[in-house]
Each structure stands twice: as structure tokens, then as C-alpha cells.
Amino acid sequence: MVVMKFGGTSVADRAAIERLMAIVRAERQAEAQRESGDARGPIVVVSALSGVTDRLLGVAAQAGAGDAEGARSSLRELHERHVTVSEVIVDDDLRASTREAMARDVGELERIVLALSVLREVSPRWMDTVAAAGEVLSSRLVAAALTSHGLPAAWVDARLAVVTDGEHQAAAPQFTETTAALVAQVDPVLASGRIPVLGGFVGATRDGVTTTLGRGGSDYSAAIVGACLGVAEIQVWTDVDGMLTSDPRIVKDPPVVPHLSFGEASELAYFGAKVLHPATIQPAVARNIPVRILNSRCATARGTLITAERPDGGRLLTAVASKKGVTVVNITSTRMLMAHGFLSRLFAVFERFRTAVDVVTTSEVSVSVTVDDARRLPAIVDELSGFADVSCEDCMAIVCAVGEGLQRDTGLAAHVLAAVGDVPLHLVSQAASRRNITFVIRETDVATALSRLHEAFFAPGQGLRAVAGAAR
Ligand code: ADP
Ligand code: ASP
Ligand code: MG
């Protein structure tokens, strides 16, 4: 059995949900053939309709600013969009009952939003409650749509199935409790021959307080569900043909990478390949479950398969990713010279303010690190200034070139840097045993750097391994 996750554009409107249904039907038929007629599943995980999470966070912001009327009217628009899309439910009774359930969800949300607008304050906890509504609504819609088209499905409330800690907006799943909850919620649905449909992105603490897994978190939900229930494959259906060699919003027509290792996919997702939430691969690795990225607009395309190991594709590099909105923090202290304990003191500050550091470089008397979550940076700088000189450079970007080949070919990293040409490099990080080379540049240089890397490594005839018969 497989888990199939459909992203926002894959449930955006009636036409998208019709494509989703055709894909699920084909999978169910394939499963029936594999299992000699005993079709189970698939398990379906859906994002909110595209743009809805942004709109809901906008509603929360309106409420926080005391704009009750604005928030109410945005909610009304969102509600109307879902009512329009519910035309996809062809059974009259089912459409009516789904609309009633959605009206109840929106009514409850409206009461919360109005209360927040009186308080003029929206804590991360309430942000999560508001944001979660997108996936609650979309999953209700998709479950009913499938049932009405002869694919018996049941809505599973993700808030009862995914148990997380209380770190709002970036909650971490509690795997033991989630497994028990998923078994209780999903198994009876599967046993009755129906298709469980859950909203992604959403969970709840063990006390029942709604949480979310962070933006783009539906991929992670699908992987959590897949790993906890031990499925054969986790499929991520999106709006591109798979993991591409570069961000298609920056580089024109990058080719698809047919096969990635778990390690390569994790690096790419972590360093900005938006097509996968950075945590998605972790649960898949834990249970060694293949992940496949597929295009819901072109279901016949082969997509990208991600497994523990991959065959050598004959390419020097596998793909390149980039992450903008990064700040470089330079920490300099003469006390660092020949002293021990300096680094642990420094990193303890980042730890205390729960801020992750991505790239680190050191010299004799200075350390430079990058952070992409700058919310607690003023407090961090304040603390560091107690024992070092600190300067920050914002509007920076991390570029990460990934390939298992970097481990084998020690000259390849220099080749990557040479391809970037005269773009000023602020930090460079690479280790002999690693499958990536990472460097930091100005945000405004990202398009140039990525295009040059693309030209050198991924344009037709370029970047092939010499043994594959092409020049390097
Ligand atoms: P979904 O709503 O299906 O989760 P996302 O918008 O989160 O979709 O992710 C898909 C998008 O990721 C693509 O449309 C593409 O613009 C972007 N993207 C960035 N880097 C890559 C990459 N290396 N390969 C594929 N897509 C990428
Ligand atoms: N709807 C959520 C978001 O927009 C989660 C997701 O789409 O994966 O971030
Ligand atoms: Mg996504």
C-alpha cells in the first residue's frame, strides 16, 4: 500500500481534484491487481487548496491588528471558494452534508478570529489553529469527492492522528504516540475497504491543542503517516515533473533528476528545494521506504525516485538548491586565539535561543555562521557581544551543490566554485566525506550563480562523467 500526498496546486480547484481522483483510482486498480483483487488504500494526504494557508495567516494578521471586519470578509471569501469547489462532489446528499460540516468549521473559526481581534494579539498557538483550517476543509472535500465518484473514502481528522510536541508552527511528531493514534484512526477505515483521507501539515499535542509542522509540512505528514504505518512507498504529487536539477523559478527548464539517494534529497530539501519539506526524508530513512515525487498534471511522467542508494547516473553533480533570506553572523574575538571552550560558549547562545545554524566556517580568531530564522537574532547578537565583536550581513543566500560524486572526486568542488566565476563568495563549506559543497553569496547573485552552474553541469552534453564518454 502507498501513501499519496497531493499539494496545494493538486487540489486547487474542481479540475485538480478530478485529476487527483483519476490518479487515486489508477493506484487502487494497480493495488487490486498486485493483491489479487483485495484492494486496500491508498492513504491520501492533502494540503490546503493552493493559496489558502497564506490567506488564513493573513486572516490571523488582520485579527491581530483588530480588523474584525476585514478578517470576517476574508473568511467569507475563503468559505465561498470551498463551497464552489464542492461542486466536485456529485452526490447531492454528500455535497450537502460536506457543506454543512465546512460551514461549522468556518463558523467556529470565525468565532475564534473575532475573539482574537478583540484581544488584538495572535500567539503562535492560535496562528496554528487558524492555519490548520485549510487542511481540515480540503481533506473533507477530497474525502467526499472520492466517495461520490465510486471510490469509498473516509475523512480522518489529522488532529486525532498526528501527535506532536507543543512547538507551535514547527511542531515535531511524537512517533510512538502517533503510531498508536494512526493505527486507531486509519486501520478501521482501511479494514472496511475505504480510502483514508487526512489533511497534511496539521497535528495536535497530547492535550489536543492544534499544532502545525511548519510551512510546506504536508510532505512531512505523508512521510510520518507512511513510516508509522509501514507502507511500501510515499508518493508526493505536485506541480512539477519531480526533483529538478535547479529551482525552475530561477533557471529555465532544468531537467528532472530520475533517481536520488536519501542523503542527496535531504540536502537539497534542507537547502531550499521547495518541492520537498526538509524533514520529509527522515521518517522514510528510518523505515527505508522509497519516496517518489510525481506530477499530478502529468501522471505518466516518471518522476523522481528517492531510495537509500541509487545507481550511478553518470553525472558529476546531481542538483543544485538555494535558500534566500539568510543572515551571516560574524563573531570575532582575540580570546579565541589558542583558547578552548570558545566555540561551545558561542554555540550555547544559539542553542539557548533555539536558533539553528546552517553553514559554519572558522578562522584563527573568528567564526561565521548563517541563520535563516532571524526572529531571535537581536537577542543572540546582544549575548554574543558580551564576549566577542559581532557583525551581521543580511539579504544573503546559501547555494548548495549536491552529488554523491563529490565524495569520490576531490577535484569536483573546485570545479563547482570555478563555474560560479566572479560572484563574490562570502563563506564556503565542504568536507572531504560530504556529498555537497555549500557557499554563501548575496541574494542578488543567486540567479547568476545558478545559471552558471546549470550551464556548466546540467546543460545538454555538460557535466557528464568522463567514463560515460563525455568531456568534463
Ligand atoms: P506543493 O503545493 O505540491 O507542495 P510546492 O510549491 O511546495 O508544491 O513545491 C513545488 C514547487 O517547488 C515547484 O513548483 C517549484 O517551483 C519549486 N521548486 C524549487 N526547487 C525545486 C527543484 N529543485 N525541483 C522541483 N521543484 C522545485
Ligand atoms: N498548506 C501548508 C502550507 O501552505 C502545508 C503544505 O502545503 O504543505 O504551507
Ligand atoms: Mg509543498
Side-chain angles (χ1 to χ4, degrees):
M1 187 172 40
V2 303
V3 172
M4 308 176 96
K5 175 262 171 176
F6 293 88
T9 46
S10 305
V11 291
D13 50 25
R14 182 174 177 167
I17 295 177
E18 277 164 356
R19 283 193 294 271
L20 173 156
M21 291 191 292
I23 292 166
V24 170
R25 190 183 300 280
E27 170 54 34
R28 199 157 158 93
Q29 282 163 356
E31 171 85 2
Q33 269 190 353
R34 284 193 298 264
E35 301 297 322
S36 326
D38 183 21
R40 286 213 170 183
I43 301 168
V44 173
V45 174
V46 292
S47 289
L49 274 52
S50 69
V52 166
T53 309
D54 285 339
R55 292 299 301 274
L56 286 166
L57 292 172
V59 168
Q62 284 172 309
D67 179 8
E69 228 8 82
R72 204 203 299 254
S73 110
S74 306
L75 273 184
R76 204 168 298 138
E77 261 175 49
L78 279 171
H79 188 194
E80 273 164 25
R81 178 168 169 204
H82 286 84
V83 171
T84 305
V85 175
S86 70
E87 294 293 338
V88 71
I89 307 166
V90 286
D91 178 285
D92 290 341
D93 291 343
L94 198 49
R95 185 169 58 249
S97 60
T98 306
R99 284 181 176 173
E100 272 169 33
M102 293 199 305
R104 273 198 306 277
D105 291 335
V106 175
E108 193 181 314
L109 188 58
E110 189 172 322
R111 282 193 293 282
I112 292 169
V113 164
L114 293 182
L116 295 173
S117 68
V118 172
L119 297 172
R120 287 178 175 249
E121 195 191 313
V122 187
S123 63
R125 171 181 172 156
W126 289 109
M127 285 276 213
D128 272 356
T129 299
V130 175
E135 270 72 6
V136 172
L137 294 172
S138 65
S139 51
R140 282 196 195 279
L141 269 177
V142 169
L146 286 165
T147 303
S148 79
H149 283 82
L151 291 161
W155 179 64
V156 173
D157 188 342
R159 294 165 295 190
L160 303 178
V162 178
V163 184
T164 72
D165 65 9
E167 181 74 19
H168 286 284
Q169 301 189 296
Q174 309 295 298
F175 280 94
T176 309
E177 284 153 290
T178 300
T179 302
L182 276 166
V183 167
Q185 298 293 323
V186 171
D187 270 7
V189 175
L190 290 171
S192 66
R194 290 174 298 163
I195 299 167
V197 181
L198 298 83
F201 178 55
V202 174
T205 63
R206 51 177 82 91
D207 302 327
V209 177
T210 302
T211 54
T212 67
L213 307 178
R215 294 307 307 268
S218 295
D219 304 332
Y220 192 20
S221 300
I224 294 164
V225 172
C228 289
L229 297 179
V231 301
E233 185 168 290
I234 297 159
Q235 297 182 352
V236 175
W237 290 85
T238 183
D239 61 353
V240 283
D241 278 346
M243 178 69 79
L244 308 173
T245 55
S246 247
D247 188 335
R249 296 164 301 179
I250 303 177
V251 171
K252 196 167 175 296
D253 294 333
V256 179
V257 184
H259 205 149
L260 284 169
S261 67
F262 283 143
E264 289 174 324
S266 295
E267 301 270 7
L268 290 166
Y270 189 75
F271 287 112
K274 183 179 175 237
V275 69
L276 268 192
H277 180 278
T280 310
I281 297 299
Q282 245 168 261
V285 172
R287 299 287 302 264
N288 196 18
I289 301 172
V291 177
R292 216 182 271 274
I293 308 176
L294 295 150
N295 189 346
S296 68
R297 290 171 196 271
C298 179
T300 51
R302 282 179 53 222
T304 298
L305 175 63
I306 309 169
T307 53
E309 311 254 328
R310 68 166 174 82
D312 186 346
R315 289 215 151 263
L316 292 169
L317 280 187
T318 306
V320 176
S322 64
K323 181 154 90 170
K324 291 187 181 175
V326 166
T327 304
V328 174
V329 186
N330 301 302
I331 304 132
T332 309
S333 170
T334 44
R335 271 188 256 167
M336 186 179 163
L337 200 63
M338 318 283 281
H340 58 82
F342 182 79
L343 287 178
S344 72
R345 191 170 173 197
L346 185 159
F347 286 118
V349 176
F350 287 91
E351 161 92 39
R352 203 164 330 121
F353 289 97
R354 299 206 308 279
T355 295
V357 157
D358 289 333
V359 183
V360 182
T361 61
T362 64
S363 76
E364 200 179 19
V365 289
S366 74
V367 179
S368 295
V369 304
T370 66
V371 297
D372 72 344
D373 176 0
R375 282 176 301 171
R376 301 177 182 113
L377 204 51
I380 291 172
V381 170
D382 200 42
E383 286 243 345
L384 291 173
S385 301
F387 58 93
D389 293 330
V390 186
S391 68
C392 294
E393 302 167 273
D394 55 11
C395 299
M396 306 297 279
I398 297 174
V399 175
C400 177
V402 172
E404 298 288 357
L406 281 156
Q407 291 181 347
R408 290 189 295 261
D409 181 346
T410 46
L412 185 52
H415 210 60
V416 171
L417 296 181
V420 176
D422 59 0
V423 168
L425 303 176
H426 289 245
L427 312 183
V428 178
S429 158
Q430 213 248 337
S433 62
R434 283 226 312 248
R435 62 177 71 82
N436 72 14
I437 168 150
T438 304
F439 51 88
V440 178
I441 58 179
R442 286 191 307 251
E443 265 180 8
T444 46
D445 288 330
V446 168
T448 307
L450 256 51
S451 305
R452 287 179 180 171
L453 287 169
H454 191 255
E455 267 311 300
F457 291 97
F458 304 111
Q462 298 296 312
L464 301 171
R465 208 167 268 296
V467 290
R472 177 166 141 193

